Amino acid sequence: MGQANYGRELLSRTLAGVPEETSPLTHMAVIDSRLAEFTDWPAWVHPAVRDAFVERGLTKPWRHQSDAATLAHEGRHVCICTGTASGKSLAYQLPVLTTFAEDPASTALYLSPTKALGTDQLRSVAQLIAGRPEFMHLAPSSYDGDTDSELRQWARMHSRWIFTNPDMLQIGITSTHPRWRAFFARLKYIVVDECHHYRGVFGSHTALVLQRTLRIARKYGADPVVIGASATVSNPAQALSRLIGEDVVAVTEDASPHGARTVAMWEPGFLDEVTGENDAPVRRSAGSEAARLLADFVIEGARTLCFVRSRRGVEITAVRAKQILAETAPELVPRIAAYRAGYLADDRRKLEHAISEGELLGVATTNALELGVDISGLDAVVVAGYPGTVASFWQQAGRAGRRGEGSIVVMIARDDPLDTYLVHHPDALLNRSVEATVTDPTNPYVLGPHMLCAAAEFPLTEDDVAMFHAEQVVADLTAEGRLKRRKAGWYAAAGLDPHGDIDIRGGIGGQVLIVDATSSRLLGTVDTARAMTSVYSGAVYLHQGESFVIDELDLDDGLALAHPEEPDWTTSAREVSDVTIIETHDRRSFGPLTVASVSVEVTNQVVGYLRKALSGEILDSVPLDLPEHTLTTRAVMYTITPESMIDAGIALDKFPGALHAAEHAAIGMLGLVATCDRWDIGGLSTALHPGTGLPTVFVYDGYPGGAGFADRGYEAFTDWIAATDVAVSSCTCTSGCPSCVQSPKCGNGNEPLDKEHAIKLLRLVGRLHA
Ligand SMILES: Nc1ncnc2c1ncn2[C@@H]1O[C@H](COP(=O)(O)OP(=O)(O)OP(=O)(O)O)[C@@H](O)[C@H]1O
């Protein structure tokens, strides 16, 4: 079959016999194939490096590889943003290895967001240089949470190329920089792989860790070049530049070859017998549709990877696919497997091997396989549920496509407004550039602790403070006595442990430890505010895909105790909030509509949680008694006059339901314009807000000081509201369901919600704002 027709024909066999009017297929597009564009090896590449690649069958670089490598070699910070499996590793390895071959004393850092990816990249470098005398001294080593202390010490003393992550850079390297003096003094390159992962609060922390690392290297006399890599980051130069605080050039034209790829959108139909909250209709789950497609594709001989969002979903998908095959093609049952996080590197290798050799035909996986696994060139990828960002979607989709052959990607919608919108408006996914990675390293709640670290590393000078844009934060810390001003600059006060106090993945604020009480294993940490919404007693808590149930949340001791259990339901916290406006940063008025970017104080209280069966059915709502929590953060808000609402056909008694439904849907849709999901943000709507005296809707960041999501909502207000309107109006339910206006975390039991009048309101707001 022809490349371009591969996906179409595969799908038409899968859908054979399904009448058109009930077909779950909402859209299909073909992305054309592309031929490779090679260049000669740049003249500066050391012959030993070139030979190492040629011996591995990489006879010539693709154009983007030599372009990016040459820019880095010339001393420019560069971000290479080309597709999955486009050989970004070679692009950074060329300059780094050439420098090592020419100057054996030089050093480099490689950073990845996950340990698994770091391990993979280390392995591939080690294989590449094995047995080559030019690199005998290099001793590339990992330095992360899994490295034992003896090996760490050895690595610090002998390794020239350290593979680590931002967490370890924070806690184990910058904090003890005098011991790393020799390493920092000769630091030539810092590779920041998969740099689109550094977003939100984690991204802001990572940015400050990187900027502090550069500062330390410079204090020791080095001037490292940063090479960023990502298959999917919008405006790569700006994204990396925000991370490192310096100018960056980008290389984005992908010259690697790929075959034609069909992308299909799939919306599961409604279940006949089951109804959800307030009798809303329930769709077939994305997971069960995925299992069916996985089985069908495998029967057709297509090597298929199926991305499912939770580990539990992964296992269920694999089991269901096997059940289907057991009835139709039992010989194929052993050729399906489940894959999830927590597997050891060896298991991953075996799995990669089994897929590339064709022993396995179908694998269901969490996004653990999104990064750090060299599996590409598959025939089909099924994405069960929008993975949250366009960037992740393309990371997953990019696994499909063998050179010179056709492939298919199917994205299945979950019961969620954003998923619904995307399968009906595929342009918003397929023709949209990936979202801006939102980071805000100047958030005072993030910046403050890092200024203490920076001052502990070397006294902060006026220039340093200006470079970090930290004038106010430093003044506040000085007033609090945590920074001391002396002649040479600001010092951290005695007795502080600023490096240990920062948990770069854990949000901001007091920490709660989540512990498996049956084994005393520490599962993770979470800040107090999030603890109340994620680890309340009764919560089902997933840790790297393993399922636990929380027995007790003790906020006084900062402890949540859990036991391993996989119940047949999921839980979601329901919270009520109150919002007070503290400051207005910017405001736009359009007659009866005013839209503003504001600082707010939010008072939240988790009032209970909802238990939902895996089929989608609501089991019950369990009340909880948790304290109120206040959060000072950023919000985007709009007010609209009652008269204009009434003129638009929304009667006074419909105000609360219309505003509430419009707010829920807008929260679900913010992910379209900002890299967040609904658990990163919150909202409030009211027919009369005391601070404005008008009907008002707020959407706020769920992090102290804000994370940049609400600000994006303010900037992209027109697109966001227009898409929210379309998502709600195109949902085929009659009076509201989880695919449009119901929210899983609503503290008011999704009451009142008025879909019909929400559409009128959204249309009015959109029209006034246009
Ligand atoms: N110039 C080249 N010619 C032929 N094959 C190449 C070339 N460069 C890289 N490859 C091959 O392409 C594959 C993908 O390379 P690599 O893993 O570096 O891609 P990547 O862009 O880092 O992928 P990902 O987005 O998954 O991180 C590897 O198997 C590699 O050997």
Side-chain angles (χ1 to χ4, degrees), residues 138-153:
L138 191 55
S141 305
S142 15
Y143 197 90
D144 59 33
D146 292 347
T147 318
D148 69 38
S149 60
E150 240 169 75
L151 277 179
R152 277 192 206 173
Q153 201 178 345

Side-chain angles (χ1 to χ4, degrees), residues 38 41 56-62 64-65 82-93 117 121 193-194 230-231 370-376 395 399 403:
F38 289 98
W41 294 99
R56 299 188 67 78
L58 309 182
T59 48
K60 279 184 167 195
W62 291 313
H64 62 273
Q65 293 175 316
T82 50
T84 318
S86 62
K88 293 181 290 297
S89 316
L90 182 142
Y92 76 74
Q93 286 161 354
L117 175 60
Q121 294 289 312
D193 208 354
E194 305 292 357
S230 167
E370 193 180 305
L371 289 185
V373 178
D374 192 8
I375 295 179
S376 53
Q395 287 279 345
R399 301 282 164 197
R403 286 166 196 151

Side-chain angles (χ1 to χ4, degrees), residues 459-475:
L460 276 175
T461 63
E462 303 255 356
D463 285 351
D464 291 332
V465 175
M467 176 183 83
F468 286 112
H469 306 287
E471 289 80 359
Q472 186 59 49
V473 162
V474 166

